[in-house]
Amino acid sequence: MEFYHIAEFAVLLILIIRLCFYLRISNNIATKNLELLLYIALIFFDSLVFVFIGEHNVVTGIFDSILPALIIIPIICRRFHHSNSIQILAIILFSTLNWVLNNSMWNYFLLLLCIVFLISLAIKLATGPNRSRKKTPLYVVFSIDLIIIAIFQQISILEIKWTNSTYVSHIDNGLLIAYFINLILTHVYIRRYFFT
């Protein structure tokens, strides 16, 4: 399992380096698809903390508080043509509110709302012009990521006891493999946001 987390961190580190390189060429994504950059940055820092500190409830709580804000706020603000500075302020306030509430059912609801937002955005892109259709797969990949996170959260919320289950390791391994494949697919599709 340790090897998996190191491999995940390495893939995310390479993705962050690629994003920095692409942003130097064109900062188009920072204004039009801020949620993509913020989501990738969040999962990178989560992986970084996990590799160096390990699993910790405070880190998980912070991740659960910040994640919905990083997706919902930029999509809503873009619809109403708000600037990036307003989006960042709204993200900080929304994340702080989530952290104060610290309610697992509320976080789960927000996660499901994020999935709805991403899928609706993917459908909108898929029905748009050819240039937009090329951007659809990354939103689908991120939706699958969030579905995997939602499954883990639901298992945690329901406090399902897996100790007597023969399938627990298969479920965990299957979800981790699906998540890792999504990271690879992110590498494949991210270039389209800068060069299409």
Side-chain angles (χ1 to χ4, degrees):
M1 196 58 81
E2 185 70 29
F3 173 76
Y4 168 81
H5 293 295
I6 292 170
E8 175 189 302
F9 174 72
V11 168
L12 283 166
L13 179 62
I14 294 167
L15 183 61
I16 291 291
I17 292 168
R18 285 183 66 198
L19 278 175
C20 291
F21 175 74
Y22 291 156
L23 282 169
R24 290 186 66 184
I25 296 170
S26 167
N27 62 359
N28 192 19
I29 192 172
T31 55
K32 293 187 177 177
N33 303 95
L34 184 62
E35 67 276 2
L36 297 177
L37 292 176
L38 295 174
Y39 179 72
I40 292 169
L42 181 65
I43 60 175
F44 170 72
F45 285 115
D46 184 56
S47 180
L48 177 71
V49 168
F50 190 89
V51 166
F52 289 102
I53 296 176
E55 191 171 1
H56 199 278
N57 287 340
V58 173
V59 175
T60 303
I62 291 170
F63 181 86
D64 291 345
S65 298
I66 294 174
L67 176 64
L70 294 184
I71 293 176
I72 295 170
I73 300 294
I75 292 173
I76 291 174
C77 285
R78 191 166 55 247
R79 186 165 187 87
F80 295 105
H81 307 290
H82 293 301
S83 66
N84 280 355
S85 56
I86 291 175
Q87 291 181 47
I88 299 297
L89 178 63
I91 288 168
I92 292 169
L93 293 174
F94 193 71
S95 299
T96 305
L97 176 66
N98 285 347
W99 175 255
V100 170
L101 290 176
N102 195 21
N103 185 310
S104 56
M105 287 304 291
W106 170 248
N107 286 335
Y108 184 69
F109 168 75
L110 288 176
L111 188 59
L112 295 179
L113 191 61
C114 289
I115 293 167
V116 169
F117 271 57
L118 288 177
I119 290 173
S120 66
L121 201 51
I123 291 169
K124 181 181 176 184
L125 289 170
T127 56
N130 188 37
R131 186 173 178 162
S132 295
R133 284 197 299 270
K134 290 180 179 177
K135 297 180 178 182
T136 305
L138 200 52
Y139 282 97
V140 173
V141 166
F142 286 165
S143 299
I144 293 169
D145 278 350
L146 293 183
I147 290 168
I148 291 168
I149 292 170
I151 292 170
F152 277 122
Q153 275 194 1
Q154 190 63 24
I155 290 169
S156 174
I157 289 170
L158 296 176
E159 297 178 356
I160 297 173
K161 304 298 182 195
W162 291 99
T163 52
N164 297 328
S165 174
T166 57
Y167 301 108
V168 64
S169 63
H170 300 302
I171 291 172
D172 283 346
N173 291 338
L175 291 174
L176 289 176
I177 288 168
Y179 179 69
F180 195 78
I181 289 170
N182 282 346
L183 291 179
I184 301 299
L185 290 173
T186 302
H187 269 281
V188 171
Y189 293 120
I190 195 69
R191 191 174 187 276
R192 297 177 183 187
Y193 280 83
F194 295 93
F195 300 109
T196 57

